Amino acid sequence: MSGISYAQDAKADSAYVREHYEKTEQLIPMRDGTKLFTAIYTPKDQTKKYPVLLNRTPYTVAPYGANEYKKSLGNFPAEMREGFIFVYQDVRGKWMSEGEFEDVRPVNKTKNKKAIDESTDTYDTLEWLAKNMKNYNQKAGIYGISYPGFYSTMSLVNSHPTLKAVSPQAPVTNWFLGDDFHHNGVLFLNDSFKFMSSFGVKRPQPITPDKGPKSLEYPIKDNYRFYLEGGSVKELKDKYFQDNIKFYNDLFAHPDYDQFWQDRNPLPHLTNVKPAVMTVGGFFDAEDVYGAFETYKAIEKQNPNATNILVAGPWFHGGWVRSKADTFGDMQFGTPTGEYYQQQIELPFFNYYLKDKGNFKPTEAQIFITGSNEWKQFDNWPPKNVTTQKMYLQANGKISFQQTNNASFDEYVADPNNPVPYQGGVLESRPREYMVDDQRFASTRPDVMVYQTDILTEDMTITGPIINHLFVSSTGTDADYVVKLIDVFPEDTPKYNGKLMAGYQNLIRAEIMRGKYRNSFEKPEAMVPNQKTNVTYSMPDVGHTFKKGHRIMIQVQNTWFPLADRNPQQFMNVYETTAKDFLKQTQRIYHDSYIEIPVLK
């Protein structure tokens, strides 16, 4: 669609909001007396009753003012035109709401009736709406992407009786094991530093966005150079944040998976779930791919009789409602997967549970499989009709589906002062397309080990999590391990947008693991120099078909910069390191290492 068409559509949507909705603003009181700023858009048509769609956000409900209207309502225009009471709320301590903000606020465990958490704030908001809204049918739904996805998840804890349908989408879930801040204990430096430079600034009083903090302006525009020349994360913090960013202070104070982080994991609290739940995620979400799958799985395990649905597609962060999603990066899907999701899944979901409209009977999991480019329905996720296959990393860059040699290994030097970049070229900021980008820039480096299968003689579809079983050694006492699962295109693949696609190395999934957490995230253990050890960890779920004529490639490396912070390759607190602590070490990948993949039958 052209830019002109998008502009025309946006103008039409903006006019529609004013013509069909009445806006009011409320300060809704919580049980402890704190008032939360809430913008309510009610349909002007008073001939029938409407359900509520609530979105709680730390990113502002702007524009403010009774005569200032949003340009569109809901997750996408068709939702707005369907007709709901759209309610937007600044969460506690953000923008125009009162109170103190706390990142991923823990569930309250006390019996104090005035004690609060995000679930009580949601409950109190829905209670106020139930008592004060006209033309309200007393059925509420909640949705949100990313951080608002976390608030959607939290609404399921001791949920309000009117809450009938909840859709956590790319929900922030665990900021130590996955999502945004850490992956398996490794700080995601680039995203966390940029984000907290503005989001983490303390707000002295309620403010509007025009008076809010601005994001860090990089003095060096080359993203890689800025972080490399900045030194350790401690040196970066001391220079740019000092002690002014509370959450970064907390992060430094809790380097391991201690009670601080465990308390901020909502998953154990997702019991006795009563509303229908539809968790949505993107396989290529650079921020929160972990949260969607783990939220769905936790609800399924702890609530076997709940209505619990998973939707996953070939999407970037929020791509299911922020784009047509017929392409991403150099990947082509052959169909507008975003439009399909909006029209065939989300709108029918809320219509059915909030309006008793339609006949919404989806399967347990609706998954778009890339490669073969098709929607598939599954009764379970991960699917049960899979065979587990092991891909052994062999000598001479080979992958074998049979173990052949335990003693041999590949040896190379990893230097954190010359780290492997996460994407080729000079970048000013982290692009979302790195999740699917061509990996040929990395495969030629001497500190990236490359293994690949023979040419596939038939299609192979992988559905579910990947488990990496690495057998490694290092001359140091700690190291990070990055495993990348890659689809290698045939040599006769035609160009795409003028780009050479012959031999293209299409990243499908990648993940990092810190060696000292190989046995426990709570109690790190040093690696013994030159002693072979096992590092096993899971990668987030995959739904992809490796087509006949392609190859499967695995790359293994020790740095992924500046996406992930560097490991000094010494057993120490990373948050106490300085630039001088980053040491070269010799690494070995042994050939009994294997990648465990779930192959769809």
Side-chain angles (χ1 to χ4, degrees):
M1 184 178 291
S2 71
I4 293 175
S5 296
Y6 273 123
Q8 290 171 342
D9 289 347
K11 187 175 181 180
D13 292 342
S14 182
Y16 188 93
V17 176
R18 286 190 172 274
E19 289 170 7
H20 292 84
Y21 287 87
E22 194 74 44
K23 182 188 178 186
T24 58
E25 296 179 337
Q26 299 285 343
L27 284 170
I28 297 180
M30 302 293 104
R31 62 191 61 187
D32 64 345
T34 300
K35 295 177 181 178
L36 303 189
F37 189 95
T38 309
I40 303 171
Y41 294 80
T42 308
K44 290 181 179 180
D45 178 7
Q46 303 287 300
T47 61
K48 54 188 174 182
K49 294 184 176 182
Y50 298 89
V52 157
L53 269 184
L54 172 62
N55 181 270
R56 303 187 67 241
T57 179
Y59 299 130
T60 171
V61 305
Y64 297 95
N67 292 319
E68 299 295 326
Y69 281 60
K70 285 183 174 292
K71 291 184 165 67
S72 188
L73 301 175
N75 242 359
F76 46 88
E79 214 162 60
M80 170 181 70
R81 285 173 164 77
E82 173 62 30
F84 295 90
I85 300 169
F86 291 99
V87 181
Y88 298 88
Q89 185 174 77
D90 286 336
V91 297
R92 179 182 293 259
K94 279 293 183 181
W95 304 105
M96 292 299 288
S97 282
E98 298 175 353
E100 290 293 320
F101 177 76
E102 184 173 358
D103 273 295
V104 284
R105 190 188 303 273
V107 171
N108 168 53
K109 297 178 183 178
T110 73
K111 296 188 181 296
N112 181 352
K113 292 184 178 180
K114 292 287 182 76
I116 61 90
D117 59 20
E118 302 305 340
S119 67
T120 66
D121 280 357
T122 308
Y123 189 103
D124 294 348
T125 299
L126 292 175
E127 181 72 5
W128 187 94
L129 292 170
K131 292 179 177 178
N132 292 278
M133 291 300 299
K134 296 179 180 179
N135 293 327
Y136 175 27
N137 73 357
Q138 299 296 311
K139 291 185 178 182
I142 293 180
Y143 69 97
I145 298 170
S146 194
Y147 222 142
F150 164 76
Y151 296 111
S152 302
T153 301
M154 291 299 292
S155 74
L156 296 168
V157 180
N158 301 317
S159 60
H160 192 273
T162 62
L163 187 57
K164 304 301 180 183
V166 176
S167 185
Q169 301 183 7
V172 165
T173 302
N174 189 314
W175 270 359
F176 191 86
L177 300 183
D179 296 330
D180 297 301
F181 270 81
H182 298 86
H183 286 214
N184 294 317
V186 181
L187 178 67
F188 260 43
L189 173 63
N190 188 69
D191 284 17
S192 67
F193 199 80
K194 179 76 170 179
F195 178 68
M196 276 296 163
S197 71
S198 59
F199 188 86
V201 174
K202 183 175 175 59
R203 183 204 68 170
Q205 61 187 17
I207 55 173
T208 51
D210 58 307
K211 298 177 182 177
K214 306 302 179 187
S215 188
L216 174 69
E217 284 292 328
Y218 287 98
I220 298 174
K221 299 305 179 185
D222 180 342
N223 191 247
Y224 183 95
R225 272 188 54 222
F226 169 77
Y227 285 107
L228 192 62
E229 295 180 14
S232 69
V233 66
K234 178 183 185 301
E235 290 166 329
L236 284 161
K237 176 180 179 291
D238 289 347
K239 182 174 182 178
Y240 293 100
F241 289 176
Q242 293 83 46
D243 289 323
N244 296 326
I245 307 295
K246 180 182 182 300
F247 195 77
Y248 242 66
N249 295 341
D250 291 337
L251 186 150
F252 271 60
H254 302 277
D256 306 318
Y257 193 52
D258 60 11
Q259 200 63 46
F260 174 85
W261 294 110
Q262 293 171 34
D263 285 346
R264 282 160 176 76
N265 178 11
L267 298 186
H269 305 284
L270 300 181
T271 58
N272 194 28
V273 169
K274 295 178 180 178
V277 183
M278 183 176 71
T279 306
V280 182
F283 284 116
F284 307 128
D285 185 337
E287 286 93 333
D288 297 297
V289 68
Y290 171 97
F293 293 107
E294 296 309 310
T295 297
Y296 162 78
K297 291 173 187 176
I299 295 172
E300 192 68 12
K301 181 179 180 180
Q302 295 161 192
N303 306 267
N305 296 319
T307 299
N308 183 37
I309 304 161
L310 174 68
V311 183
W315 301 315
F316 61 83
H317 195 55
W320 46 96
V321 295
R322 294 170 178 168
S323 70
K324 287 176 60 178
D326 55 343
T327 64
F328 180 50
D330 294 321
M331 296 184 78
Q332 305 167 68
F333 309 130
T335 183
T337 64
E339 292 179 1
Y340 176 87
Y341 165 78
Q342 295 164 34
Q343 296 166 7
Q344 304 299 322
I345 302 177
E346 181 171 318
L347 190 55
F349 171 75
F350 283 125
N351 273 342
Y352 183 76
Y353 288 106
L354 302 183
K355 292 186 170 186
D356 297 319
K357 180 178 178 180
N359 185 27
F360 185 68
K361 295 187 182 299
T363 53
E364 184 81 8
Q366 299 183 74
I367 309 295
F368 188 85
I369 306 295
T370 51
S372 57
N373 290 341
E374 57 185 337
W375 283 100
K376 282 188 173 291
Q377 284 73 43
F378 298 97
D379 293 330
N380 310 91
W381 187 267
K384 292 183 178 179
N385 58 327
V386 298
T387 56
T388 299
Q389 295 194 24
K390 297 177 180 180
M391 300 193 302
Y392 287 92
L393 311 183
Q394 300 291 284
N396 301 315
K398 299 290 187 181
I399 287 177
S400 171
F401 289 95
Q402 302 293 327
Q403 185 174 352
T404 58
N405 191 332
N406 292 350
S408 64
F409 53 82
D410 289 307
E411 183 176 278
Y412 59 97
V413 174
D415 182 1
N417 293 302
N418 181 25
V420 180
Y422 64 92
Q423 193 167 16
V426 178
L427 304 168
E428 187 172 355
S429 60
R430 192 269 295 150
R432 60 196 182 197
E433 289 81 6
Y434 92 86
M435 293 287 289
V436 299
D437 199 43
D438 186 0
Q439 298 301 299
R440 284 179 286 193
F441 75 93
S443 61
T444 57
R445 285 182 59 121
D447 51 356
V448 177
M449 297 297 100
V450 180
Y451 309 89
Q452 64 179 337
T453 65
D454 292 334
I455 294 172
L456 298 178
T457 57
E458 58 184 25
D459 290 357
M460 180 182 290
T461 299
I462 298 177
T463 51
I466 312 298
I467 304 176
N468 302 320
H469 300 265
L470 300 181
F471 292 92
V472 298
S473 67
S474 174
T475 52
T477 50
D478 193 16
D480 291 341
Y481 295 92
V482 180
V483 173
K484 298 187 290 192
L485 176 69
I486 296 163
D487 186 343
V488 182
F489 291 13
E491 288 300 326
D492 60 357
T493 305
K495 288 184 177 181
Y496 175 59
N497 285 339
K499 187 169 186 177
L500 183 66
M501 301 299 288
Y504 191 94
Q505 297 174 9
N506 183 187
L507 183 63
I508 302 301
R509 176 65 72 232
E511 189 57 286
I512 191 168
M513 177 72 188
R514 184 141 286 171
K516 68 180 181 181
Y517 294 127
R518 65 198 181 280
N519 296 320
S520 169
F521 288 106
E522 294 91 339
K523 297 177 181 179
E525 299 175 31
M527 298 173 67
V528 179
N530 300 309
Q531 180 175 302
K532 184 178 179 181
T533 188
N534 173 229
V535 177
T536 293
Y537 66 101
S538 294
M539 300 202 287
D541 299 42
V542 168
H544 182 75
T545 297
F546 293 86
K547 299 291 287 182
K548 176 182 176 180
H550 291 226
R551 298 176 188 262
I552 301 175
M553 176 182 285
I554 297 293
Q555 292 182 5
V556 182
Q557 59 199 56
N558 300 97
T559 47
W560 205 19
F561 190 75
L563 190 68
D565 188 27
R566 293 171 293 162
N567 191 321
Q569 303 195 123
Q570 305 181 73
F571 182 72
M572 61 190 300
N573 183 349
V574 170
Y575 300 114
E576 295 176 354
T577 59
T578 59
K580 63 179 175 54
D581 295 313
F582 296 109
L583 303 179
K584 290 182 183 179
Q585 301 291 356
T586 299
Q587 308 289 348
R588 287 181 175 180
I589 308 295
Y590 289 85
H591 295 149
D592 50 351
S593 299
Y594 63 94
I595 312 301
E596 193 174 310
I597 57 173
V599 180
L600 193 65
K601 293 179 182 177

